Amino acid sequence: MAFQGKKLMDDPDDAVTDFIEGLVETYPALHYLDGFPQIKVVLCSDISTDKVAVISGGGSGHEPAHAGFVGEGMLSAAICGDVFTSPPVDSILAGIRAVTGPKGCLLIVKNYTGDRLNFGLAAEQAKSEGYKVEVQIVIVGDDCALPPPRGIAGRRGLAGTILVHKVAGAAAEAGLPLADVAAEAKYASEMVGTMGVALSVCTLPGQLTSDRLGPGKMELGLGIHGEPGAAVVDLLPVDPVVSHVLQQILSKDTQYVPITRGSRVVVMINGLGATPIMELMIASGKTVPKLQVEHGLAVDRVYTGSFMTSLDMAGFSISIMKADEVILRRLDAPTKAPYWPVSVEGDRPPTKLPVPIPTSCSRKNDEGSNRPQELSVQGRILEAAIEAAANAIINIKDCLNEWDGKVGDGDCGSTLFRGAAAIVEDMRNYYPLNDAAETINEIGSSVERVMGGTSGIIYSIFCKAAYAKLKENNLPFVESRQWADALEASITAISKYGGAKAGYRTLLDALIPAASILEERLAAGDEPTTAFFLSSEAALSGAESTKNMQAQAGRSSYISPEILASVPDPGAMAVATWYRAAALAVKDKYQT
C-alpha cells in the first residue's frame, strides 16, 4: 500500500532551489546564477577562463551529484534540473556562457534521452554563438546490469560518471587543450562499469512512496531514478549480492569493461541515499578481497560514500574503473570540490595488524583447557546453573530487544545474547568449575570480551566484585552465606560505579530485592536452595515493578513515563530471567 513520504522541506516545487541556497551557504567557494527558478546553475566562485571548462549536470535528487563536485580540479559548473528531470536548454546555456573561456568547454552527460537532447541542443546553440564546445559530447553509460541493448537507448549513466568528472576536471586543471581533455574523459567513460542494488524505492518530494518493492525483497540492476531494475529477488546477505554485482560488471559475455585478470582498477562503493555508512563499509570490505582473490585484480584506490544517490533510496552501487598511471594521477590530483573524498596515494598497506597481547591474560588459548577432567559436586551444580542462566538469556533475546526498542536503543537482547553464547562456549573449555571464584572471574572475562557497551561493563563489574569477595574466604567449597555476600558485593560495586540505586529503573531493581530476600531467608534458617528460589521470585517481582518507575539512569531517562509504563526495564527482566533459571537448575540438581 502506497503512503505519503515524509520530507524535510516546505514547498516540494522549491526543493532544488532551497537545496542550492543551502549548499552555497555551506561552501563559500560555490556560487549560483541568479536565475531562479528557471536557471539553476552552481559554479565556482573563482572562475578561471584560461583553462577548459568542464560542465555536467542533470536532474536533481542525486545529491551530492552534481553540484557537490563543482570546484577547482573538478567541475566548473553543474546544471541542476528539477528532481529526476533533465535541465532545460536555457539553463545549460547559461552555465556554458558563465564559465567558458577561449579554451572551450566540455560537456559530460549521463546517457539518458532527456539529458542527451537538452545538452546536445545547448551545445549546438552555444557553438552558434561562438563558444568553442566539444561537438562530440562525452556520454557516460556505465550501467552493466542489463543485457546489451538492441535499440538506440544504450546503457544508462550511473555513479561511474563521478570518476569521469574527476578525470576530466584534473586534465583541464593541468592545462590540457579541449581535444585532450575530451579524449581523456571519453577514455575514462569506456573504462568504467557500474551496477546498483536497491532495498527500497525512493520517494519524490510531494508524492506517495511506491509499494513496488515489497517486504523481504530487493532489486538488482536498477537505475538512479527509481526505475525498475533487471530483477526483483528475495533479500540476500551482502556477500552474495556483492559477488553477483562483480560478476555482472566483469562479465566476459557482455565485455562492458575491458578488465581482465591482472588489471589495475579503482573501486567506488556508492550509497543511494538512505544507506548507513556502516553498510557501505561492509560492502567495501566484501568487494575488495573478492576483486583481488576471485577476479585477480590489483585494487589501487577505493572510494566509499554517497556520491550519486537516488533521493532516499536504500541500497548501493559498485563502480569499477580500469586504472593506469594517467587515470590514477587524475584521480589523485587535488580538488576543491567539497564532496570528492580524500584518497590515499600509493600502494595499499596491509589492512590487518596483530592485536597486542598483554604479558598476562586471564586466559591463554594456547595453554589448553582449564576445565577439570572430573567435576566435584559443586562443579556440577555450578555448571548446571551457569548453563541454565545463559540459555535462558539466549531464549529471550528477541523479547528483550522488543522491550529495549521502546525504551532504549533496541539491542539489549542482542548484547546479552553475545555474552550468554560466549559463556556457554567458554565453559566447555576454560572454566575451572571446581573453583567457584575463578569460574566467576572467567565469566567476567567472557562477558568483557564480547558484550561491550554499558551492559558489558556492568556485568564485568558484577563478576569482578563477586570474584574478589569469594577470594577473601579462599575456601574450596563456597557456602550459601558466601554466595549471598558475593551478591551484595556485586550490587555495591555496580551502584558505586554506575550511580544507580533502587527505584532508578535498572537491573538493580531485580538484584536488590533478590539479595534482600536471600539474606532474609538464610538468616531465618531456610534450606539454601529454597532461599535461592524465593529470592528469584523477588527478582522477578522487582523487575516487573519497573513499569511503575520513572527512569533516572541510562537511555530510558529520556523516555516519557507513558511509554515506560508499557514495558518493564529490559535489563532488570534479563537479570530476573537468568537468576530464576539458575535457581531452578540448582534446586533440580540438589533434588536429583
Side-chain angles (χ1 to χ4, degrees):
M1 180 178 179
F3 57 91
Q4 186 69 44
K6 298 177 182 179
K7 298 291 182 182
L8 287 172
M9 58 183 61
D10 295 326
D11 187 342
D13 293 335
D14 297 334
V16 178
T17 54
D18 288 349
F19 155 72
I20 292 173
E21 288 175 339
L23 181 73
V24 300
E25 290 291 349
T26 303
Y27 300 103
L30 301 182
H31 286 179
Y32 67 88
L33 295 182
D34 186 14
F36 286 172
Q38 289 81 17
I39 306 298
K40 296 184 278 288
V41 177
V42 176
L43 62 161
C44 295
S45 58
D46 53 347
I47 299 170
S48 173
T49 56
D50 61 352
K51 59 187 177 186
V52 172
V54 180
I55 297 176
S56 189
S60 296
H62 307 302
E63 290 71 30
H66 300 81
F69 298 107
V70 172
E72 182 181 303
M74 209 161 175
L75 296 181
S76 308
I79 320 300
C80 304
D82 291 328
V83 174
F84 293 173
T85 303
S86 298
V89 172
D90 287 347
S91 194
I92 301 169
L93 270 173
I96 293 173
R97 294 171 184 143
V99 300
T100 303
K103 292 200 172 182
C105 168
L106 174 68
L107 303 179
I108 300 176
V109 182
K110 297 188 303 301
N111 188 28
Y112 292 95
T113 302
D115 288 355
R116 292 175 61 173
L117 292 174
N118 284 290
F119 275 87
L121 179 54
E124 295 301 318
Q125 179 66 28
K127 282 187 290 183
S128 71
E129 295 176 6
Y131 290 93
K132 184 181 179 183
V133 181
E134 175 65 22
V135 176
Q136 297 296 325
I137 300 173
V138 173
I139 306 293
V140 182
D142 53 319
D143 184 15
C144 296
L146 303 175
R150 296 171 183 168
I152 62 172
R155 297 157 61 197
R156 298 170 294 193
L158 301 176
T161 309
I162 305 302
L163 297 172
V164 179
H165 290 166
K166 184 63 176 67
V167 169
E173 192 66 33
L176 271 62
L178 178 57
D180 291 349
V181 174
E184 287 201 22
K186 186 174 187 300
Y187 175 77
S189 72
E190 294 168 347
M191 296 296 108
V192 64
T194 300
M195 180 175 170
V197 176
L199 307 184
S200 72
V201 296
C202 57
T203 304
L204 275 66
Q207 296 190 20
L208 298 178
T209 299
S210 169
D211 60 353
R212 185 186 82 232
L213 194 57
K217 298 291 183 180
M218 65 190 305
E219 196 159 27
L220 306 176
L222 74 166
I224 54 172
H225 304 103
E227 65 267 39
V232 174
V233 300
D234 290 336
L235 186 63
L236 297 169
V238 68
D239 193 85
V241 171
V242 168
S243 293
H244 175 76
V245 171
L246 298 184
Q247 290 288 353
Q248 287 289 111
I249 296 173
L250 302 172
S251 170
K252 294 180 180 179
D253 296 330
T254 57
Q255 295 185 326
Y256 276 147
V257 286
I259 297 174
T260 57
R261 296 189 74 86
S263 295
R264 302 171 66 183
V265 297
V266 298
V267 182
M268 174 177 281
I269 310 296
N270 170 62
L272 295 180
T275 309
I277 191 67
M278 173 187 284
E279 295 177 28
L280 295 179
M281 289 300 176
I282 290 172
S284 292
K286 303 294 183 181
T287 299
V288 174
K290 288 180 184 295
L291 288 174
Q292 293 170 327
V293 177
E294 297 177 16
H295 297 275
L297 303 177
V299 180
D300 285 318
R301 303 289 184 274
V302 180
Y303 308 101
T304 301
S306 292
F307 304 96
M308 183 175 286
T309 65
S310 185
L311 291 171
D312 56 353
M313 182 180 289
F316 71 101
S317 64
I318 299 177
S319 299
I320 307 173
M321 175 181 275
K322 186 176 182 179
D324 55 29
E325 290 302 325
V326 173
I327 282 180
L328 291 176
R329 188 161 64 248
R330 300 301 184 219
L331 294 176
D332 292 340
T335 178
K336 293 182 179 179
Y339 283 91
W340 178 255
V342 176
S343 64
V344 178
E345 300 180 24
D347 296 333
R348 294 174 59 79
T351 57
K352 290 189 288 187
L353 298 175
V355 176
I357 303 298
T359 55
S360 62
C361 308
S362 63
R363 181 187 307 135
K364 295 184 177 64
N365 291 341
D366 56 357
E367 290 183 356
S369 173
N370 293 329
R371 182 184 174 94
Q373 292 292 325
E374 185 175 343
L375 295 181
S376 64
V377 173
Q378 179 176 257
R380 290 196 297 273
I381 294 172
L382 190 57
E383 179 184 44
I386 294 170
E387 187 171 24
N391 286 329
I393 289 297
I394 290 171
N395 292 335
I396 65 164
K397 180 187 79 170
D398 292 339
C399 192
L400 290 173
N401 280 341
E402 182 181 350
W403 286 330
D404 197 39
K406 296 179 180 179
V407 298
D409 54 3
D411 68 347
C412 177
S414 299
T415 301
L416 292 174
F417 174 90
R418 290 196 299 272
I423 288 169
V424 171
E425 177 65 27
D426 291 350
M427 184 170 64
R428 300 189 183 113
N429 298 308
Y430 303 116
Y431 292 181
L433 292 163
N434 291 342
D435 187 328
E438 291 297 338
T439 298
I440 298 300
N441 191 41
E442 288 297 335
I443 291 174
S445 298
S446 299
V447 165
E448 187 175 359
R449 189 180 76 253
V450 301
M451 274 179 62
T454 303
S455 295
I457 293 296
I458 288 175
Y459 274 97
S460 295
I461 291 172
F462 180 96
C463 292
K464 298 303 179 183
Y467 166 72
K469 192 65 178 178
L470 292 173
K471 288 294 285 185
E472 287 181 5
N473 299 299
N474 200 26
L475 297 173
F477 185 86
V478 179
E479 301 283 352
S480 56
R481 179 74 262 168
Q482 281 84 53
W483 283 116
D485 291 343
L487 179 59
E488 285 285 359
S490 296
I491 292 171
T492 300
I494 291 172
S495 182
K496 174 183 176 181
Y497 294 109
K501 299 178 182 178
Y504 276 33
R505 204 178 197 274
T506 70
L507 82 172
L508 288 180
D509 291 304
L511 287 173
I512 290 173
S516 177
I517 294 298
L518 183 61
E519 171 73 25
E520 176 184 313
R521 299 321 307 166
L522 289 175
D526 284 4
E527 198 273 326
T529 58
T530 301
F532 192 8
F533 177 75
L534 292 174
S535 71
S536 75
E537 290 187 331
L540 182 58
S541 296
E544 290 174 341
S545 72
T546 57
K547 284 185 179 181
N548 304 315
M549 298 177 186
Q550 175 59 47
Q552 299 183 59
R555 290 185 175 91
S556 294
S557 60
Y558 307 119
I559 307 298
S560 70
E562 292 77 13
I563 296 176
L564 292 177
S566 65
V567 295
D569 178 69
M573 289 302 296
V575 165
T577 299
W578 64 254
Y579 192 97
R580 187 171 180 81
L584 290 172
V586 169
K587 187 175 182 180
D588 181 65
K589 270 292 182 182
Y590 269 107
Q591 288 177 344
T592 57

